[in-house]
């Protein structure tokens, strides 16, 4: 028997769709389409207030509405009616872009319109080298949730994290050191960026089982020419592991001992569901860490909005280099992001993304456990975030594997591009990087079973 709150919820859903067709008209405010107040719903449908609240909770659980404290309920304008089971495209485990089906297109477009009205005078001026002061004030509060406590002058809004990395690579550091160290493997654009800027590069291996090669790390730190170490402590890209607190503290001790700065790329901070997983910055007592966060992974890549939080000693150098690169970051994008965060839309969207990705990663982990007798599944990291990596036997012809998977509707990729050019073959770490951001939850198990089958077939063929 259908409950009355479900009937009301379906009626409200129909009302939302009608309002969207009509462009929202008078129902729009700075947060989007506002739904009728709970008491009004109770009166209209002749039910109790508690039944009206249950109807809204039913909609909220399905990510169709979101609540803003002391304000009311608002419609989620993206993703209505999309069903994962209707997915007919190839299963793309290679894509690292956010899920396009939950892009907040309409919500963010509305934020842009509001920003243009509220900030119209400022849009015709050049901004500050740090960024929009009102946005920085808001970010200070938001970053406290990530355990990043810093002064306003330490914040810089950048045109994506890529610009922050370019500024750091080019700017002078105390002591005149010139070399940048990266993990092997590392974020695939970092080695390419350093090469294009003619910045000398060093590397230190990071593996599933042992983490960083600490002996090599300390030896290279001690040699004295490393100006900073670019590191991804949380949900490492591409292998997916996260550093433990003891490892973070050990890294900070070595950085302090050998006068090396640490650039922490916390690109998936918004997907963390473990309250005990603090960033490297939170353990830093000697101002060794430069903290970087991107909004591209949680919203959409085209936003090109990043944040750098620098130690006090690097503010002047970083500010000068950033201003030389682009004068200032798009004020319109900054103002729209400010509206999006201030309205509560960002917190709600983050909740949706975290929930969807966590549910998908749970399926991944279930498959890894169900077939733990299969070596690549047994060794693969069982973490959160949005990806894991499967180590492959050295005798597997990887290109053949990728081709066979593609023939069966699976798009996958190796970790080769996550090493500096020409260094991949020096390692025996053949791996598939499996990303779930663009694979429907209901199809993940099917995709992983196909991957397992094809690896097993090639293993058998290589031994006969």
């Amino acid at each position: 028997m259908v409950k009355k709150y479900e009937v009301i919820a379906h009626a409200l859903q129909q009302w939302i769709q009608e309002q969207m067709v009509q462009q929202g008209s008078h129902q729009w405010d700075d947060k989007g389409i506002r739904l009728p107040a709970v008491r009004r719903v109770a009166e209209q449908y002749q039910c109790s207030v508690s039944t009206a609240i249950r109807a809204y909770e039913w909609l909220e659980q399905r990510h169709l509405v979101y609540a803003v404290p002391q304000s009311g309920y608002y419609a989620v304008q993206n993703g209505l009616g999309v069903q994962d089971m209707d997915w007919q495209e190839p299963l793309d485990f290679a894509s690292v872009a956010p899920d396009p089906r939950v892009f907040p297109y309409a919500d963010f477009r509305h934020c842009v319109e509001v920003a243009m009205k509220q900030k119209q005078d400022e849009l015709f001026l050049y901004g500050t080298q740090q960024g929009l002061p009102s946005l920085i004030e808001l970010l200070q509060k938001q970053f406290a949730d990530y355990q990043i406590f810093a002064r306003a002058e330490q914040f810089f809004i950048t045109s994506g994290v890529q610009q922050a990395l370019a500024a750091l690579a080019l700017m002078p550091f105390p002591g005149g050191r010139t070399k940048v160290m990266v993990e092997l493997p590392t974020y695939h654009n970092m080695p390419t960026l350093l090469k294009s800027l003619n910045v000398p590069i060093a590397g230190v291996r990071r593996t599933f089982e042992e983490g960083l090669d600490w002996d090599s790390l300390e030896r290279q730190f001690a040699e004295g020419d490393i100006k900073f170490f670019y590191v991804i402590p949380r949900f490492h890209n591409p292998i997916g592991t996260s550093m433990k607190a003891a490892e973070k503290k050990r890294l900070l001790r070595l950085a302090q001992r050998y006068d090396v700065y640490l650039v922490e790329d916390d690109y998936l901070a918004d997907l963390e569901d473990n309250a005990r997983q603090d960033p490297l910055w939170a353990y830093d007592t000697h101002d060794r860490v430069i903290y970087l966060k991107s909004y591209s992974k949680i919203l959409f890549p085209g936003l090109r909005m990043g944040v750098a939080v620098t130690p006090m000693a690097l503010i002047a150098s970083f500010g000068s280099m950033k201003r030389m690169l682009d004068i200032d970051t798009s004020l319109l994008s900054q103002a729209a992001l400010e509206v999006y965060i201030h309205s509560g839309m960002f917190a709600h969207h983050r909740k949706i993304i975290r929930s969807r990705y966590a549910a998908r990663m749970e399926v991944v982990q279930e498959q890894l456990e169900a077939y733990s007798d299969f070596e690549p599944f047994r060794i693969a990291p069982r973490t959160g975030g949005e990806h894991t990596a499967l180590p492959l036997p050295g005798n597997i012809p990887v290109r053949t594997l990728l081709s066979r998977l593609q023939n069966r509707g699976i798009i996958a990729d190796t970790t080769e591009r996550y090493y500096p050019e020409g260094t991949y073959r020096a390692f025996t770490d053949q791996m598939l990087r499996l990303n779930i951001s663009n694979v429907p939850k209901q199809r993940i198990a099917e995709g992983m079973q196909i991957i397992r089958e094809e690896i097993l077939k090639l293993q058998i063929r290589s031994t006969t």
Side-chain angles (χ1 to χ4, degrees):
M1 181 177 176
V2 178
K3 303 287 196 314
K4 185 162 186 176
Y5 71 83
E6 292 180 340
V7 174
I8 297 171
H10 285 298
L12 289 170
Q13 186 177 357
Q14 181 63 37
W15 181 88
I16 292 169
Q17 292 171 341
E18 290 171 357
Q19 293 302 310
M20 289 181 179
V21 170
Q22 297 170 18
Q23 299 292 320
S25 65
H26 63 282
Q27 298 294 334
W28 283 84
D29 69 6
D30 65 337
K31 301 175 183 64
I33 298 177
R34 183 175 182 175
L35 278 76
V38 170
R39 289 191 179 278
R40 182 178 167 189
V41 170
E43 292 172 2
Q44 180 178 351
Y45 293 97
Q46 298 182 341
C47 66
S48 66
V49 170
S50 62
T51 299
I53 291 173
R54 288 195 69 184
Y56 275 125
E57 290 175 344
W58 188 92
L59 291 168
E60 191 172 20
Q61 288 169 3
R62 287 153 180 79
H63 307 308
L64 300 176
V65 304
Y66 66 101
V68 176
Q70 287 82 50
S71 183
Y73 287 90
Y74 294 82
V76 176
Q77 299 162 55
N78 51 288
L80 284 178
V82 176
Q83 297 295 325
D84 283 349
M85 288 304 291
D86 295 335
W87 189 261
Q88 299 298 322
E89 302 297 323
L91 301 183
D92 189 353
F93 286 92
S95 175
V96 297
D99 188 343
R101 291 162 294 164
V102 291
F103 275 7
Y105 290 117
D107 288 348
F108 203 81
R109 182 177 64 244
H110 180 59
C111 291
V112 171
E113 293 171 357
V114 173
M116 291 183 71
K117 293 177 183 177
Q118 293 180 349
K119 306 285 186 180
Q120 54 184 321
D121 293 336
E122 296 172 69
L123 295 178
F124 290 96
L125 303 173
Y126 285 114
T128 67
Q129 68 177 17
Q130 277 189 261
L132 194 63
S134 54
L135 175 58
I136 289 176
E137 182 180 355
L138 189 60
L139 291 177
Q140 265 189 290
K141 298 175 183 176
Q142 186 189 66
F143 273 43
D145 293 337
Y146 306 125
Q147 298 303 302
I148 304 297
F149 299 94
R151 296 163 60 174
E153 55 263 39
Q154 294 177 263
F155 282 77
F156 289 86
I157 313 298
T158 61
S159 301
V161 164
Q162 193 81 355
Q163 185 197 52
L165 291 172
L168 290 166
L170 289 169
M171 69 183 240
F173 271 63
R177 299 178 180 188
T178 60
K179 193 176 292 186
V180 172
M181 176 182 278
V182 300
E183 299 166 291
L184 299 174
T186 188
Y187 166 51
H188 66 276
N189 279 331
M190 189 59 173
T192 305
L193 173 69
L194 295 174
K195 181 179 179 182
S196 68
L197 297 176
N198 293 316
V199 174
I201 185 171
V204 61
R205 193 177 184 192
R206 180 168 170 177
T207 62
F208 297 146
E209 302 89 348
E210 299 176 7
L212 291 170
D213 182 340
W214 293 99
D215 290 339
S216 174
L217 179 81
E218 183 166 9
R219 183 172 63 253
Q220 293 187 73
F221 274 15
E223 288 172 358
D225 198 32
I226 305 295
K227 70 175 186 177
F228 71 77
F229 175 30
Y230 171 72
V231 61
I232 309 173
R234 192 195 318 254
F235 304 136
H236 180 271
N237 189 15
I239 63 178
T241 58
S242 295
M243 285 185 177
K244 297 176 181 177
E247 294 175 299
K248 295 171 187 175
K249 293 175 183 178
R250 182 178 183 181
L251 180 57
L252 283 163
R253 287 196 299 270
L254 291 174
Q256 172 64 15
R257 182 183 306 166
Y258 297 107
D259 195 23
V260 175
Y261 282 90
L262 305 173
V263 174
E264 177 180 18
D265 191 342
D266 203 11
Y267 74 116
L268 289 184
D270 293 300
L271 299 187
E272 183 62 77
D273 57 5
N274 183 352
R276 296 184 178 181
Q277 275 286 4
D278 289 335
L280 195 62
W281 175 285
Y283 298 97
D284 183 16
T285 58
H286 293 91
D287 291 335
R288 292 282 99 193
V289 178
I290 301 106
Y291 180 84
L292 304 181
K293 172 178 164 49
S294 170
Y295 283 89
S296 298
K297 297 296 289 185
I298 194 69
L299 291 174
F300 46 89
L303 180 61
R304 305 309 306 143
M305 191 70 65
V307 181
V309 187
T310 71
M312 298 295 292
L314 300 181
I315 289 175
S317 294
F318 187 87
S320 296
M321 184 58 65
K322 181 189 179 302
R323 190 166 185 82
M324 186 189 76
L325 291 175
D326 75 346
I327 302 180
D328 57 28
T329 302
S330 167
L331 275 176
L332 179 57
S333 295
Q334 292 185 66
L337 182 61
E338 180 185 342
V339 173
Y340 194 70
I341 295 173
H342 185 72
S343 68
M345 292 182 187
F346 176 83
H348 178 72
H349 178 71
R350 178 174 61 185
K351 180 180 177 182
I352 292 175
I353 291 291
R354 183 185 293 173
S355 172
R356 289 174 71 100
Y357 286 10
R360 296 179 197 183
M361 288 304 294
E362 185 177 350
V363 177
V364 170
Q365 293 174 25
E366 287 172 355
Q367 289 296 302
L368 296 178
E369 290 297 333
Y371 299 97
S372 58
D373 56 334
F374 178 53
E375 188 73 0
F377 279 23
R378 184 184 66 79
I379 300 175
R382 288 150 170 77
T383 57
E386 63 175 12
H387 66 275
T388 189
L390 300 182
L392 299 174
N395 59 353
I396 289 287
V398 176
R399 299 303 164 195
T400 301
L401 174 61
L402 296 180
S403 177
R404 293 177 68 146
L405 289 174
Q406 188 168 8
N407 290 338
R408 297 189 64 181
I410 304 292
I411 302 173
D413 196 10
T414 71
T415 57
E416 182 173 356
R417 66 194 181 109
Y418 293 85
Y419 291 85
E421 185 178 357
T423 65
Y424 178 67
R425 296 189 181 281
F427 296 88
T428 58
D429 306 326
Q430 286 196 128
M431 290 181 280
L432 286 184
R433 183 186 189 277
L434 302 183
N435 194 296
I436 50 80
S437 62
N438 281 271
V439 183
K441 174 187 172 183
Q442 290 86 346
R443 305 287 303 280
I444 290 174
E446 170 194 345
M448 292 189 68
Q449 288 168 18
I450 291 174
I451 291 170
R452 174 176 167 273
E453 289 170 9
E454 293 301 330
I455 294 174
L456 284 171
K457 288 177 184 177
L458 289 174
Q459 277 185 293
I460 294 171
R461 195 177 77 171
S462 65
T463 56
T464 57

